């Protein structure tokens, strides 16, 4: 019988641990402040931003909210980011993506002070991860590691196959699994015979952005499957990149969607905010 890895419970545990740490810091007179910038009013972004603010409130982190109209120029946004970089009271800066089309996201992200880049997207933090140095790690892959470790899944020496090579999920995921001494393979849209590769995986991590793409034909008997994807199916029900019902009886453990990786992303963002204190 497969274990369902409970991301809601694990993320709640992490948030409670962080709440305690923040209380301790407050006793020493240390406050943590996260600045959240949203440009435009994309409904999905507004939901994410709202959830991040709620998590801050729960843990005891101050949040500063900047809701800018989508007519904001790139120079105006850069100027705000530079002001926040210089503001000693601000520990973390988060620019909610995607940005309107007239802005260059890379340029904006690269302007954030790497010591305040709690999303872990700045090239300096990405580089630090790749060479095993300290720095902020992208929240979703960091959350996957926590899910696996806190579920007592041994990673050392295991065959790990990651499907997807994006800068925010697939690539940092690969570096984190290497750090855990897994043997790592990354697949992408040009991979030949994807099934043959994924069937070698003891741990299969899927981040491709295609609903229910991974069926039992892609999965080795007894594998651990982590589903990063999030979509709505034809019945408007939330589902992942993995066909959960189809693979369930073949795996030893699996993350559900919703309630798997999703809640971990915000928990790890909060963790990065708390860690920002050590960086500054
Ligand atoms: P991207 O679209 O940036 O990347 C998708 C990756 O999947 C690419 O590397 C692409 O390959 C690869 N891919 C696409 N089709 C195939 C295929 N048929 N076979 C093999 N590989 C394929 O997506 P993200 O990494 O940003 O996100 C992936 C999923 O995770 C999405 O559903 C997203 O919504 C979800 N997500 C969830 C988060 C959470 O908090 N739970 C956070 C971030 C993302 P190539 O590079 O060759 O194009």
């Amino acid at each position: 019988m497969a274990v369902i890895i409970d991301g809601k419970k694990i993320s709640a545990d992490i948030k409670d641990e962080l709440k305690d740490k923040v209380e301790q810091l407050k006793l020493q007179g240390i406050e943590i402040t996260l600045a959240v910038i949203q440009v435009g009013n994309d409904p999905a972004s507004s939901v994410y931003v709202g959830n991040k603010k709620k998590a801050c409130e729960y843990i005891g982190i101050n949040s500063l909210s900047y809701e800018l109209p989508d007519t904001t120029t790139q120079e105006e946004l850069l100027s705000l980011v530079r002001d926040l970089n210089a503001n000693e009271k601000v520990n973390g800066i988060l620019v909610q993506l995607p940005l309107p089309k007239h802005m260059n996201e890379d340029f904006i992200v690269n302007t954030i002070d790497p010591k305040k880049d709690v999303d872990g997207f700045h090239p300096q933090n990405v580089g630090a991860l790749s060479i095993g140095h300290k720095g902020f790690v992208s929240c979703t892959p960091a959350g996957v590691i926590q899910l696996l470790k806190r579920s007592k899944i041994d990673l050392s020496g295991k065959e790990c196959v990651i499907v997807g090579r994006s800068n925010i999920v697939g690539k940092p995921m690969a570096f984190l699994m290497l750090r855990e001494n897994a043997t790592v393979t990354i697949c992408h849209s040009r991979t030949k015979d994807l099934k043959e590769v994924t069937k070698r995986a003891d741990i299969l991590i899927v981040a491709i952005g295609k609903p229910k793409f991974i069926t039992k034909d892609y999965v080795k008997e007894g594998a651990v499957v982590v589903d990063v994807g999030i979509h709505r199916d034809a019945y408007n029900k939330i589902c992942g990149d993995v066909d959960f019902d189809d693979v369930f009886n073949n795996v030893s453990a699996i993350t559900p969607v919703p309630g798997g990786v999703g809640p971990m992303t915000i928990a790890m963002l909060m963790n990065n905010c708390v860690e920002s204190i050590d960086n500054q």
Side-chain angles (χ1 to χ4, degrees), residues 213-231:
F213 184 91
I214 297 291
T215 55
K216 64 171 183 274
D217 309 344
Y218 288 79
V219 181
K220 180 168 84 173
E221 186 85 34
V224 173
V225 176
V226 176
D227 187 354
V228 180
I230 181 148
H231 316 273

Side-chain angles (χ1 to χ4, degrees), residues 48 140 163-170 187-191 194 206-210 213 227-231 241 261-263 265-266:
Y48 290 134
T140 302
V163 192
R165 57 174 165 180
S166 71
N167 289 341
I168 61 166
V169 186
C187 301
H188 45 76
S189 65
R190 309 289 174 87
T191 298
L194 182 65
V206 189
I208 61 177
K210 299 216 157 110
F213 184 91
D227 187 354
V228 180
I230 181 148
H231 316 273
D241 287 346
V261 175
T265 301
I266 289 188

Side-chain angles (χ1 to χ4, degrees), residues 33-184:
T33 300
L34 171 67
V36 181
I37 306 172
Q38 182 182 357
V39 187
N41 49 9
D42 171 59
S45 292
S46 300
V47 171
Y48 290 134
V49 165
N51 289 339
K52 288 167 188 175
K53 284 190 219 157
K54 262 191 232 158
C56 282
E57 209 173 298
Y58 179 74
I59 289 167
I61 293 174
N62 306 317
S63 66
L64 297 177
S65 189
Y66 297 87
E67 283 156 27
L68 309 179
D70 54 15
T71 50
T72 305
T73 64
Q74 174 157 302
E75 198 39 56
E76 283 166 337
L77 178 57
L78 286 171
S79 160
L80 173 59
V81 170
R82 290 189 193 109
D83 285 349
L84 294 168
N85 283 343
N87 185 338
E88 284 180 6
K89 292 208 168 108
V90 171
N91 308 95
I93 302 170
L94 184 153
V95 178
Q96 184 65 42
L97 303 180
L99 287 168
K101 292 209 164 35
H102 63 277
M103 292 190 183
N104 180 331
E105 287 186 353
D106 285 345
F107 198 57
I108 305 291
V109 168
N110 296 357
T111 304
I112 297 174
D113 180 344
K115 291 195 179 75
K116 299 188 179 188
D117 166 44
V118 284
D119 259 336
F121 294 164
H122 191 286
Q124 191 170 310
N125 284 317
V126 176
L129 172 65
S130 74
I131 56 173
H133 286 187
K134 199 168 155 36
F136 290 118
V137 176
S138 179
C139 302
T140 302
V144 171
I145 295 289
Q146 285 299 313
L147 277 181
L148 294 169
K149 284 190 162 178
R150 288 173 183 246
S151 303
K152 307 260 180 296
I153 291 165
D154 191 17
L155 306 178
S156 180
K158 296 291 168 64
E159 286 282 344
C160 172
V161 175
I162 298 163
V163 192
R165 57 174 165 180
S166 71
N167 289 341
I168 61 166
V169 186
K171 284 182 196 146
M173 192 71 252
F175 283 118
L176 288 172
M177 289 303 281
L178 271 180
R179 200 189 260 185
E180 299 300 327
N181 300 313
T183 301
V184 180

Side-chain angles (χ1 to χ4, degrees), residues 1-4 214-217 219-225 242-254:
M1 182 77 173
V3 170
I4 297 180
I214 297 291
T215 55
K216 64 171 183 274
D217 309 344
V219 181
K220 180 168 84 173
E221 186 85 34
V224 173
V225 176
V242 176
D243 187 336
F244 184 93
D245 295 334
D246 194 54
V247 307
F248 184 72
N249 287 322
N250 285 49
V251 299
S252 60
I254 183 165

